[in-house]
Amino acid sequence: MTPSRTDRLTRAHSFNAAAARYAANRPSYPPALFDTIEELTGRPLAGSRVVDVGAGTGMATARLHARGADVIAVEPGDGMAAEFRRTLPDVPLVRGDGNALPLAGHSADLLTYAQAWHWTDPARAVPEAVRVLRPGGALALWWNTDALDVPWIAEEAERTARHFGVNPAAERRDTDARAVDPTGLLRFTRREIRWSRRVPIDTHLANLASHSVLLVHADRAAAFLAEQREHLTAAFPDGAVEETYVVVLLLATAPPTPTA
């Protein structure tokens, strides 16, 4: 079942009450992702004017800033914005979302959406991105997706889908170029970057608990997480798991001349 607009809004807002948990336990992004963005755009991040939209607690913003980008973050949520300001007090943050960016036209070299584009209305967000980007600037969207060729990760995904009644195929359509731009204004290049991190079982479970489907079904989440702990403890007796991800990156270049 594909989530309704109301369901998606509820899930989008669910992170605000769990911002600290999100910041402490969610995976970040590998250096190879930012190398690939530089390769595809043909320019270094250092010195580029970058707008990180749906910045959340600032995971992607921090890495863009560390690469030398001149970053402005845009975040709609109160809780996420508060956590962002706590961890990145020196990075500018404005309140807003991708459907109506609070930014001047043709003012950015790069717009980034880390785990955030699927919360927008693409029919509105694509024209807004084109408006804000300088001619020849780029829009980069990316998601950490689970590496489902790893057996234990695939089994966990199946249990999650069964327990919460979600459709994994519908969730993955968020990363399809046809879904991200129904306007047809942009042409996306797709790259996939595989990476992993080794974390304690407790961190992995806290990561799971910070996902929107668990946050909005708190009444069912505790039982699910307890079941997961049993599976993981049996599979990983040393108490650590290797989370493997495939970052799906979609990048498109804005038209070379401003549109009317």
Side-chain angles (χ1 to χ4, degrees):
M1 180 173 65
T2 303
S4 68
R5 178 171 172 74
T6 300
D7 290 340
R8 289 178 78 84
L9 285 173
T10 300
R11 287 174 62 173
H13 291 298
S14 68
F15 300 111
N16 288 300
R21 187 192 318 165
Y22 188 109
N25 299 291
R26 280 291 187 104
S28 184
Y29 307 103
L33 167 64
F34 303 100
D35 295 340
T36 303
I37 291 171
E38 291 182 327
E39 172 200 337
L40 292 177
T41 60
R43 64 177 296 160
L45 286 165
S48 293
R49 182 69 160 177
V50 180
V51 179
D52 187 29
V53 188
T57 63
M59 286 188 174
T61 312
R63 277 135 194 89
L64 290 162
H65 182 67
R67 298 283 291 232
D70 178 13
V71 192
I72 294 175
V74 178
E75 169 56 38
D78 292 343
M80 299 295 259
E83 185 67 21
F84 182 103
R85 289 191 171 109
R86 188 184 69 79
T87 58
L88 294 169
D90 297 326
V91 177
L93 171 67
V94 295
R95 305 299 299 280
D97 63 56
N99 296 330
L101 291 168
L103 301 165
H106 310 299
S107 59
D109 298 310
L110 177 67
L111 289 184
T112 61
Y113 285 77
Q115 309 277 132
W117 184 259
H118 53 284
W119 303 124
T120 70
D121 174 359
R124 298 167 62 194
V126 169
E128 271 294 272
V130 172
R131 179 185 68 79
V132 169
L133 285 170
R134 292 171 178 158
L139 171 65
L141 324 174
W142 68 82
W143 295 263
N144 264 328
T145 67
D146 294 328
L148 296 179
D149 58 329
V150 178
W152 78 265
I153 294 175
E155 291 166 6
E156 182 174 84
E158 289 171 5
R159 284 193 294 271
T160 304
R162 186 169 59 250
H163 192 96
F164 295 101
V166 297
N167 182 346
E171 299 276 322
R172 284 185 170 257
R173 280 197 292 273
D174 289 334
T175 67
D176 188 284
R178 291 166 296 183
V180 302
D181 181 15
T183 71
L185 287 173
L186 300 173
R187 298 187 64 179
F188 285 90
T189 297
R190 181 186 177 102
R191 293 288 181 86
E192 296 186 356
I193 301 106
R194 191 180 183 94
W195 73 288
S196 64
R197 67 171 189 168
R198 187 170 177 82
V199 296
I201 288 173
D202 283 348
T203 299
H204 177 72
L205 291 172
N207 172 18
L208 282 181
S210 74
H211 284 247
S212 61
V213 69
L214 275 76
L215 292 173
V216 300
H217 295 295
D219 55 330
R220 285 185 270 164
F224 173 75
L225 292 169
E227 177 188 347
Q228 285 307 106
R229 182 179 293 279
E230 291 182 6
H231 286 291
L232 293 169
T233 301
F236 302 100
D238 67 346
V241 301
E242 187 85 10
E243 296 178 344
T244 305
Y245 297 97
V246 177
V247 179
V248 176
L249 168 67
L250 297 175
L251 187 140
T253 301
T257 56
T259 57

